[in-house]
Every structure is written in C-alpha cells, then in structure tokens.
Amino acid sequence: MRSLLFGAVIIQHNDTLASAIDMETHAVATLLHDLGWERQLNSSIVTADRRFEVDGAIAARDFLHGHGDGQHWDDSRVQLVWDSIVLHTERSIAYYKELTVQVVSKGISMDFSGPAFGVTDEEYAAVLEQFPQDDLVEVPQVMARKRKVQNEEEPATASSSKHTKADDKDEPQSQLELQKQSLHHGIFEPYPPAKVYRLLEPGPVVLVTTGSLADSTHNVMTIGFHMVIQHESPPLLGISLGPWDASFATLKKQRECVIAVPSVEMAGVVVDVGNCSAADEDNEDESEGETTSSKWQRFGLEALPAAKVKAPLVGGPNVIANIECVVEDTKMVSKYSMWVLKPVKAWLNPRKKPGEGGKMIGW
C-alpha cells in the first residue's frame, strides 16, 4: 500500500503524469508487484529457476486473465502490468519505459530510499504514519523462505525390501512435512542459487566517479561488484559496470575513473546515489540549464580535483579513501561487463583508516 500511495503522490505532483497514467493500471501493478515473494510451501507462483520479478509478473498476468474485470482489459494494459512488475527492481531500464512503468518502480523504490521524485518529507511521513514499515525484512531472509525446497527421491534399491510399516512412523508422511523439516532443521535454510552473489559480494560498497571535473561533466554512481585482481606489478582492480549504467559510455571514452571508499556514516547517501541515474538528472537538467554536477549538489557530495585523472575525488570527512584509476584491459567488458583498472594514485583519510575509526559499508 505504501508504494501505491507514494506513486499516487508522484502522479499528483505532475500534470503530465496525471493526464497520461491510468490509475487502475498503476494500482494493480503496484499492489501485485510482490507476488513473487510468495512464501507458502508448494506455491503455484514461485519457481526455483526464475527471478521473483518474473514469477510475480506471470502471476499478475494470470490473475488479470482469470478475473472478471481483468478479462475486459486490452493487451496493452496487461502488458503494462507485466512490464511494471518484471522491471520494478531494474531502475536503469524501468525509468526509460512507459510512464506507468517508471512511476511503479519509483514508488516501490521510495519504500526503501525515502522521499524523492517530488514527494515531500511531510507527505512521506504521512504515508508511513498510516502504513508503518514493520513488514520490511532483510531480503536474503525472505528469499531463503520464499523458494520451494527441491527434494529428490532416492531410487528404490534391493535393500528397500526390508522396509516395514513400523519404519513409517519415523518418516515424514508427506512432501509438505519433508519441506518443513528441511526449512527448519538445524541451523541452515535453503537459499536460491541465483542469489548466492549476495553471500560472496566482497564489500565495501564504493562510489565510482567518471567524466571531467574541469567541464562539469563528472558523474558518480554506486557499485557493489568489484574485486582485487592483482596485488602488484602492476596492481589491478576489477569493477562490474555495464551499458545499463550512465557512466558506461564515459568510462569507455575516457578510460579513467576514481573509486571512492565511503564509511558507514555515508550509507544513506550511497543508497540514494545508487537509486539515482545520471540520465534522469540529464533529462531534468535540460529544462533548467544545469549540468550533471547537480547530482553531486543534490546529495551533498564534494568533488575534488584528482592528480592524474579527469574524474574527481569524492571529498568529505567520512570518505575513507580515493583511488585514481585508468582502464588497463577491456577484454571482458563485452561479455561480462568487467573492467580491469590500474590504480595510478591513491589517497587515504588518516582519520578514517580501516580498523582505526573507518568502518566500510558492507552488504
């Protein structure tokens, strides 16, 4: 309900959205967007091999096709619901789709990131007062419970002939009991293979800057996928940055960037930056005559000149370090969106050394 109301307020503040978006389609897509989180055992909605967004989109489409009113919907409205649900977590795509898809995604994201897109602090607080966020839980915990447990029956063997009815008393009587036992037995719970990256993400979550401070084209984004590739001769780092990211084209052209390591005090800002696309800023700035540097101003980030690259350092007392990098290797970019970077200059905040007052942001 919160996401629906957030989206409704976004629409209310924008005449273009108010005249273009069908509120019923928006409401259905938003209210059904989490069907893929179904946690009932033997769920007819959840699958083991599809993303929860896809499971939810399929379930919503089936609901509309089977509902008396939904049967009168034309294909375009049903498709809008499908797209809104399947893309609601992929903001770098959803924000370039139809207006309904955009607003559904933005309303849902605000449940996690706070007021934005024209929604005031007061309006946001009013929604939370009526519908508190007590139902929000950690994603990995929910994912572990939402997926069906895959139980494989052992093939019968010759020794099974010794089986007696007395043995049945010690065995689960149904597949449901087997699943319950598996879910709650001991310490561990099942976890979907498609999400194991969340267990292995090394952290810390970092900020990556691209562009040029000199001509105010500098951008900043949040990245959680990165790694150390080589310690020396030369030191090499890897980051995952794909064409869906606004910084991709700039990095491809200029072949340099800065990796900034923020401390936990900046966690809120880092999340907000991750939920904001420079492309969105560009679209807004065109009408106001501003540059992409407004993104830095919006989140209160300080851009400082780097020593060896055009991209800026991220300044401020809560930044642990900045690493100036140049692109060393692009062989894996087209297939894996993996950039190999070579650090050419590094800066450390002496008051925020890791382990000495500087705690990094981990997932």
Side-chain angles (χ1 to χ4, degrees), residues 265-342:
E265 289 83 0
M266 295 181 64
V269 172
V270 171
V271 171
D272 289 340
V273 171
N275 287 332
C276 177
S277 169
D280 296 329
E281 294 286 324
D282 288 342
N283 292 336
E284 295 174 3
D285 294 342
E286 286 177 1
S287 62
E288 301 175 5
E290 299 178 0
T291 65
T292 54
S293 61
S294 62
K295 184 176 181 180
W296 293 71
Q297 298 165 2
R298 174 179 175 183
F299 298 114
L301 294 174
E302 181 182 6
L304 302 176
K308 296 193 174 184
V309 300
K310 295 179 181 178
L313 311 179
V314 179
N318 291 321
V319 177
I320 296 174
N322 280 275
I323 307 169
E324 300 180 31
C325 300
V326 296
V327 174
E328 176 75 7
D329 195 329
T330 60
K331 293 185 181 70
M332 293 187 288
V333 172
S334 60
K335 188 173 184 179
Y336 299 109
S337 300
M338 174 63 72
W339 299 77
V340 178
L341 307 175
K342 180 174 72 174

Side-chain angles (χ1 to χ4, degrees), residues 5-7 9-10 13 110 114-124:
L5 295 176
F6 293 148
V9 177
I10 293 174
H13 285 313
M110 283 175 55
F117 312 114
V119 177
T120 66
D121 292 343
E122 292 75 14
E123 290 168 331
Y124 191 85

Side-chain angles (χ1 to χ4, degrees), residues 77-146:
R77 294 182 75 192
V78 176
Q79 188 64 48
L80 277 177
V81 171
W82 163 274
D83 288 347
S84 296
I85 295 175
V86 84
L87 294 174
H88 77 268
T89 61
E90 297 292 344
R91 290 180 286 276
S92 59
I93 300 175
Y95 289 4
Y96 297 92
K97 290 283 290 180
E98 293 83 355
L99 294 177
T100 299
V101 179
Q102 294 181 34
V103 174
V104 169
S105 180
K106 290 177 178 179
I108 294 168
S109 72
M110 283 175 55
D111 206 10
F112 300 89
S113 60
F117 312 114
V119 177
T120 66
D121 292 343
E122 292 75 14
E123 290 168 331
Y124 191 85
V127 172
L128 295 188
E129 183 178 359
Q130 296 299 318
F131 300 95
Q133 293 175 312
D134 301 336
D135 56 325
L136 290 182
V137 295
E138 291 295 325
V139 171
Q141 181 181 358
V142 176
M143 287 296 295
R145 289 184 171 89
K146 99 178 190 68

Side-chain angles (χ1 to χ4, degrees), residues 55-70:
D55 285 338
I58 292 174
R61 182 179 60 192
D62 291 345
F63 170 79
L64 288 171
H65 286 164
H67 192 277
D69 293 333

